[in-house]
Amino acid sequence: MSLVLDSAAQDLLFREARTANSFSDEPVTEEQVQAIYDLVKFGPTAFNGTPLRITLVRSPEARERLVKHMAEGNQAKTAAAPLVAILSADNEFHEELPRLLPHFPPAKDMFFSERPVREQSALVNAALQAAYFIVGVRAAGLAAGPMTGADLAGIQKEFLDADHTPIMVVNIGKPGEAAWFDRSPRLSFDEVITTV
């Protein structure tokens, strides 16, 4: 085997992991979320900018407000999940760059003075961080149900502000009854990899 990660960890993070569609009633604690973030915050991003912002939806009132913005097929599972996270991109992430990139303080103004450039970088890098977050949820022994089937503009208006662009909603918890659909096919190595 060419991978250093043992087979059980590979299964946990990738081969056996799937998008969960139902969850048990077991709560997801703040300590679990803290452990997930403390692991995934080390994933690389451009300029060490960390535009991902996570809004945890815990209260019944907030959950009700969120569910109405989810696509019909995502509403029941979002209402029932132990924890739901709104993942968004902070379009003003560059304000943190002097602290996050101390060896190159001019990066903030040199590369990110224009809003469209920031928005593009925030979206790409927050999506990258969202993928790390999903793997981190799996590493915590939990299941993730990431969804983009939602009125994201409505979610932004309901929970965020103009400087934060929602990119997905993730249901989090221990898998429940019939949590998994059958594994869908994936493209093969030869269909994806090109060597030049």
Side-chain angles (χ1 to χ4, degrees), residues 96-161:
E96 303 296 335
L97 283 181
R99 181 166 58 105
L100 298 175
L101 200 66
H103 60 279
F104 190 40
K108 174 190 170 202
D109 298 316
M110 185 180 294
F111 296 105
F112 299 109
S113 62
E114 296 180 20
R115 176 74 179 224
V117 173
R118 288 198 306 273
E119 288 177 351
Q120 176 65 24
S121 183
L123 182 62
V124 168
N125 287 285
L128 182 61
Q129 289 185 279
Y132 303 143
F133 181 77
I134 292 165
V135 173
V137 168
R138 294 171 175 180
L142 300 170
M147 301 167 290
T148 56
D151 172 11
L152 295 177
I155 290 172
Q156 181 180 32
K157 191 172 189 177
E158 189 85 36
F159 292 94
L160 306 170
D161 58 34

